[in-house]
Amino acid sequence: MIPIPASAIIVILYALVSTTYGQQGDPKNPVCDISIRDSDNLTLNCSRKNINTIPTGWPEEMNGVEQAGDVLITFFYNNIVNVTQIPEVPGNKIAIILKSNKIIEIQDDAFRNIHRMVYLDLSNNSISGEVLRSEIFQGPYNDGKYSKIALETLNLGHNEIHSLDRYLFQYTPNLTRLYLNNNPIEILDHVTILALSSAVKLEVLDLSKTDIDSIPLDAFRGLENLQNIDLSNNKFVTVPESLRLVGSTLKYLTFNNNPIVELNDDSFIDLTNLIELEVTENEYLEEIKRSTFTPLKSLRVLRVSHNSILRYISHNAFRGIKDKWTLKEIYMDNNGLSEVSIDLLPWNKLDVLGMTGNRWLCNCELYNIVTSQGAGTKFKPGDIPFCAAPMILSGEYITNITLSFCPSDNKLETQSGFSLSDIKPKQILWCIFGVTMVAMLGMLLGLFVNYIKTLYKRHRNQPVPYNPLSSA
Ligand SMILES: *[C@@H]1O[C@H](CO)[C@@H](O)[C@H](O)[C@H]1NC(C)=O
Ligand SMILES: *[C@@H]1O[C@H](CO)[C@@H](O)[C@H](O)[C@H]1NC(C)=O
Ligand SMILES: *[C@@H]1O[C@H](CO)[C@@H](O)[C@H](O)[C@H]1NC(C)=O
Ligand SMILES: *[C@@H]1O[C@H](CO)[C@@H](O)[C@H](O)[C@H]1NC(C)=O
Ligand SMILES: *[C@@H]1O[C@H](CO)[C@@H](O)[C@H](O)[C@H]1NC(C)=O
């Protein structure tokens, strides 16, 4: 007997239950593909069907979905302009995808019949903030008021939103993931902030590519579940201080492609629970200063790559967290680095290290990082960095060089990472204090010496007593 792979059987079964319904061009019954995976899992694919309006009914198979079932209805790439009332859908978890249409209007009662809708994708349309009124998320009308709906994920990315209605999330108490990326927000105004802070269950917030350059200090007040923020592709010149308010819950921060010049000990202050930090493609980022990562006491993955002019990482960048080391993966590929200090971090405690795409100077320090400090075993296969300099080693993999003249004790080298910018005001104060003390001690000593001298002189000037014997 020929063995038939299980996947082949599944494909055959899948084809058997996959049917189409309706007639081409009939708005009540557009031609959509139905697939039923189980009695409790139905997908209705109405994508790329030239549909202009929301259908007014569903195929019969929809009635077979159980109370606890999952239903996915997709309308990708159609020409829907006006989201009118969507007919009732059975099931417990309903996902509606209206991505990539031409939506400019949503009716008040659009989702009223599908209060079990947990996922709604309205991305890549022409929706403005004015269209997003709280009424569009009203659930069924019971006992004189509109009930709330189950919505958990709302994708509003790639639209024309400047501002949100302050009551927009009034009927969506379980909103957990909100995507506002690629909208011309520019300024997070007062009403938008009120709208955001009313979504108290929010865990994921995507504000990337919204042209914002700041976030008001109280913007995240009340968002006690916020875990994941994307602020990439914006106009921030510093990491916004407003993140401190969610420092105890925030786990993932993405901060790519912003016009920051340096990261320092203020950048990530209070973000003690951050697990992953991504700071890539910041084309103006030059320096990572002392204590930049010190607040990040739970960090496991750090991605600082593709920052083309990042030349300097202070050897004290991880100051204070080196002895309670939590990091497992560090990626510093494709920056402008040529050197890093051997005491930057405990290299052998990492699982993965990325260093490719820099202009490495293969000196004794780098050699010892790779050999005695164990960094050489942390590179992913195929991601071995190579030397750019000195000329004689240029192009060699850094795991494949031997510098026999290097001292294995690297105490002298560790000083080389020192730079003036490492000096902090506190240290300057201590310096001044020290110099003053030395000066004062000197003065005291001088006075004392003078005093002794005068004493001695006076002593010498005293008439020498006549010794009758000496003249003898
Ligand atoms: C339904 O199918 C989707 C894949 O299309 C799957 O992710 C989901 O877990 C399934 N749901 C159930 C209840 O089996
Ligand atoms: C839905 O149908 C379109 C066009 O027939 C097809 O390109 C697409 O892959 C389908 N999507 C799914 C999830 O089946
Ligand atoms: C959207 O559809 C509703 C109901 O058919 C209609 O009353 C409304 O005028 C339409 N809006 C637009 C902008 O076409
Ligand atoms: C919100 O989630 C909770 C917990 O899962 C659930 O009990 C409640 O019914 C949900 N609210 C709505 C309006 O669906
Ligand atoms: C490592 O160096 C040896 C000799 O120095 C050379 O034969 C080998 O090809 C090098 N390996 C790599 C991966 O460059």
Side-chain angles (χ1 to χ4, degrees), residues 81-84 104-105 107:
V81 175
N82 189 352
V83 181
T84 50
I104 53 165
E105 174 64 336
Q107 296 301 296

Side-chain angles (χ1 to χ4, degrees), residues 237-355:
V237 293
T238 57
V239 183
E241 201 187 333
S242 32
L243 291 176
R244 292 179 68 173
L245 266 185
V246 287
S248 59
T249 55
L250 198 64
K251 290 182 179 159
Y252 305 91
L253 174 60
T254 314
F255 197 80
N256 303 336
N257 193 13
N258 276 293
I260 44 168
V261 175
E262 64 168 54
L263 293 172
N264 57 37
D265 54 356
D266 281 334
S267 299
F268 304 115
I269 204 157
D270 282 351
L271 304 187
T272 49
N273 282 296
L274 210 63
I275 293 173
E276 277 195 49
L277 173 62
E278 187 173 310
V279 188
T280 71
E281 294 170 55
N282 297 285
E283 58 179 311
Y284 302 103
L285 179 60
E286 288 171 18
E287 291 185 37
I288 294 181
K289 293 195 163 173
R290 178 192 174 87
S291 301
T292 292
F293 303 118
T294 301
L296 309 177
K297 295 182 166 57
S298 312
L299 200 64
R300 295 180 65 83
V301 180
L302 174 62
R303 296 175 199 277
V304 190
S305 45
H306 290 94
N307 302 291
S308 52
I309 62 164
L310 173 61
R311 272 186 209 102
Y312 171 74
I313 300 180
S314 162
H315 72 114
N316 271 323
F318 295 96
R319 189 167 176 269
I321 55 171
K322 276 188 270 188
D323 42 348
K324 286 184 184 156
W325 191 250
T326 53
L327 270 143
K328 291 288 166 209
E329 299 175 32
I330 296 184
Y331 302 91
M332 42 178 164
D333 306 82
N334 301 89
N335 294 309
L337 296 167
S338 56
E339 291 180 80
V340 279
S341 171
I342 194 164
D343 61 353
L344 175 66
L345 56 99
W347 304 90
N348 60 344
K349 290 190 181 161
L350 292 175
D351 290 342
V352 183
L353 174 63
M355 287 176 62

Side-chain angles (χ1 to χ4, degrees), residues 402-416:
T402 322
L403 301 181
S404 47
F405 52 85
C406 289
S408 59
D409 182 287
N410 231 42
K411 281 285 170 279
L412 278 174
E413 304 276 347
T414 58
Q415 296 303 315
S416 67

Side-chain angles (χ1 to χ4, degrees), residues 14 33 35 43-49 72 74 76-77:
Y14 189 78
D33 304 322
S35 51
T43 301
L44 184 64
N45 182 355
C46 302
S47 301
R48 296 183 193 275
K49 302 285 184 194
L72 168 65
T74 68
F76 282 109
Y77 302 106

